[in-house]
Amino acid sequence: MPPMDITPSGAEKEQTVSRKAEHVEIVLNEQSRAQKNWWDSVSLLHCSLPEFDLEEVDLSVELFGKKLKAPLVISSMTGGYPDAEKINRNLAEAAARVGVGLGVGSQRAGLLKPEVANTFSVVKDFKVPLVMANIGAPQLISQANSTVLNIDHGRQAIAMVGADVLIIHLNYLQEVVQPEGDTRARGVLARIKEFASALPIVAKETGAGVSHKVAVQLQEAGVKGIDVGGVGGTSFSAVEFYRAEKEKDAVRARLGETFWNWGIPTPISILEADVGLPVIATGGLRHGLDAAKAIALGATAGGMASKMLKPATISADAVVEALEVVIAEMKAAFFLTGCRTIDEMWQSELVLSDDLLSWAGRLEPHSDAD
Ligand SMILES: Cc1cc2nc3c(=O)[nH]c(=O)nc-3n(C[C@H](O)[C@H](O)[C@H](O)COP(=O)(O)O)c2cc1C
């Protein structure tokens, strides 16, 4: 690994590390989900005559050149503080055993503070079929009091976890509510383009969804895929609300409340992000039925974060069990819609409720061939 050429302040390092620990604590212990789960507004059409056996359902899929046993990834969550090592170890062991993808949390802490890099690199101990590294878009441009990450840092993040792709997460909703948020955004797209010219980049929202316009901008910037990270599940506005309350920051707490449910619903964002790239659908997936709905809408894989967090604090077996339940539910949904494969589910009919259709009503026309 090339030598670190960054000299972050002590405060910056500590802030990053303790923030990641607080996020996990809040998601485990507080109601930090959006008030409406938009997956309830999508229904699959029942098929009374599947004409194949349940055991014939084949959920395998290729994503970024890697073969997954099911169209599922454990979405980026954590790393960078001592307890995160166990969480990432359990997630990685389970992802390897079950054959699904895994993202680690933002690696800024690991890049700034090499002594915590092991809390991320532990995932290399397992044969996870698809590993996704992670850095934040705001850190790619100059911010007050924080280190700018360059392409070399991107390479280091990839090497740290043996990743197949590097996620650049877009989290301005969180940054705007967060007491110490990085709210400069000018120039980010050009930086994503620079990174994408050198490294395999996946752009990922973190709970506010991706619009068609942004999806086109990202595609033109050269990203390899988009995780739409829509609203409906974990709300980072909610998470930062709890942090702001604790810090007695009334303005940020109020922002957190006001923007609790902000964003594009995940199901709609899948349609919006239909620009010919693989789409990962993260945001509010509770079970395999939600994941099957995501595939029916055109995603290549569903992504689950918070649902895997509690089991990950217990053991790899607990995560395996949680994943196996999700896969059994997904198989049932495929069987009951008469779809044997991912390709068939992509072609399947579905029903959107009026509340979702009102979003779809403003979609710009785009080809349904891809
Ligand atoms: C504790 C926690 C930490 C997270 N940290 C990151 C992160 O570092 N980078 C990132 O891209 N997304 C992060 N996310 C967002 C998730 O990847 C995901 O987009 C979001 O939680 C919505 O999925 P869910 O409804 O299944 O939780 C985090 C989520 C949780 C719950």
Side-chain angles (χ1 to χ4, degrees):
M1 193 185 285
M4 295 272 168
D5 62 344
I6 46 182
T7 51
S9 69
E12 184 187 355
K13 290 188 207 172
E14 293 314 324
Q15 224 174 42
T16 305
V17 167
S18 78
R19 184 167 56 231
K20 295 305 286 180
E22 281 178 62
H23 287 162
V24 166
E25 278 308 303
I26 290 169
V27 170
L28 285 173
N29 299 313
E30 305 283 357
Q31 197 310 92
S32 48
R33 299 176 79 76
Q35 278 153 338
K36 182 178 175 83
N37 190 304
W38 290 90
W39 291 108
D40 291 331
S41 302
V42 181
S43 302
L44 298 174
L45 204 64
H46 175 63
C47 170
S48 313
L49 277 174
E51 280 297 320
F52 57 82
D53 301 342
L54 173 63
E55 65 187 30
E56 288 177 62
V57 172
D58 175 9
L59 292 179
S60 65
V61 71
E62 204 174 289
L63 180 58
F64 309 129
K66 300 288 161 179
K67 189 112 181 168
L68 306 182
K69 292 231 175 80
L72 196 64
V73 304
I74 301 172
S75 299
S76 320
M77 276 188 284
T78 202
Y81 66 100
D83 288 351
E85 198 254 9
K86 176 180 163 190
I87 292 176
N88 278 337
R89 173 184 296 282
N90 289 339
L91 291 175
E93 182 182 334
R97 278 164 58 186
V98 178
V100 298
L102 171 69
V104 294
S106 173
Q107 290 167 261
R108 175 154 78 151
L111 294 168
L112 301 184
K113 214 177 165 194
E115 62 272 29
V116 297
N118 68 307
T119 64
F120 297 96
S121 60
V122 63
V123 307
K124 287 203 285 194
D125 291 353
F126 305 94
K127 288 204 173 72
V128 181
L130 169 68
V131 175
M132 298 180 284
N134 192 296
I135 56 175
Q139 282 96 58
L140 306 187
I141 53 170
S142 174
Q143 302 281 349
N145 309 319
S146 86
T147 306
V148 179
L149 300 184
N150 59 35
I151 290 174
D152 243 7
H153 297 127
R155 285 204 182 91
Q156 288 169 35
I158 289 175
M160 195 186 292
V161 294
D164 303 292
V165 293
L166 171 63
I167 286 174
I168 296 180
H169 69 251
L170 307 166
N171 67 332
Y172 284 107
L173 170 62
Q174 177 187 10
E175 300 288 357
V176 89
V177 176
Q178 187 171 285
E180 65 282 39
D182 286 342
T183 48
R184 286 189 224 185
R186 188 182 293 278
V188 161
L189 183 60
R191 291 289 284 154
I192 291 176
K193 193 170 174 180
E194 273 176 58
F195 271 68
S197 69
L199 301 170
I201 299 298
V202 171
K204 173 179 180 296
E205 244 294 347
T206 51
V210 169
S211 68
H212 187 61
K213 182 178 163 199
V214 168
V216 169
Q217 288 174 311
L218 292 168
Q219 187 230 10
E220 287 173 358
V223 305
K224 295 261 180 291
I226 297 175
D227 184 331
V228 296
V231 70
T234 304
S235 159
F236 263 88
S237 195
V239 171
E240 295 299 344
F241 159 81
Y242 291 110
R243 291 187 63 236
E245 256 207 334
K246 203 170 130 200
E247 290 176 27
K248 306 212 179 327
D249 183 335
V251 173
R252 305 283 147 196
R254 181 60 196 266
L255 279 167
E257 251 177 331
T258 304
F259 288 88
W260 196 287
N261 298 299
W262 174 268
I264 304 169
T266 311
I268 286 299
S269 196
I270 298 170
L271 299 176
E272 297 252 347
D274 177 14
V275 291
L277 296 173
V279 165
I280 301 174
T282 303
L285 272 65
R286 297 157 295 189
H287 39 56
L289 175 53
D290 289 342
K293 292 175 183 178
I295 306 300
L297 282 161
T300 302
M304 282 183 149
S306 53
K307 283 282 160 194
M308 293 298 146
L309 188 55
K310 181 80 198 297
T313 62
I314 301 168
S315 65
D317 283 347
V319 183
V320 167
E321 196 183 307
L323 289 171
E324 280 175 348
V325 171
V326 171
I327 290 171
E329 290 165 333
M330 226 191 291
K331 274 195 176 150
F334 272 59
F335 182 59
L336 294 173
T337 45
C339 299
R340 217 182 51 78
T341 62
I342 307 287
D343 280 307
E344 289 180 15
M345 188 53 104
W346 278 333
Q347 308 299 324
S348 72
E349 290 179 277
L350 37 74
V351 181
L352 302 185
S353 302
D354 283 351
D355 51 355
L356 268 184
L357 279 176
S358 63
W359 284 84
R362 59 151 291 284
L363 283 181
E364 292 169 31
H366 54 274
S367 148
D368 59 3
D370 47 28

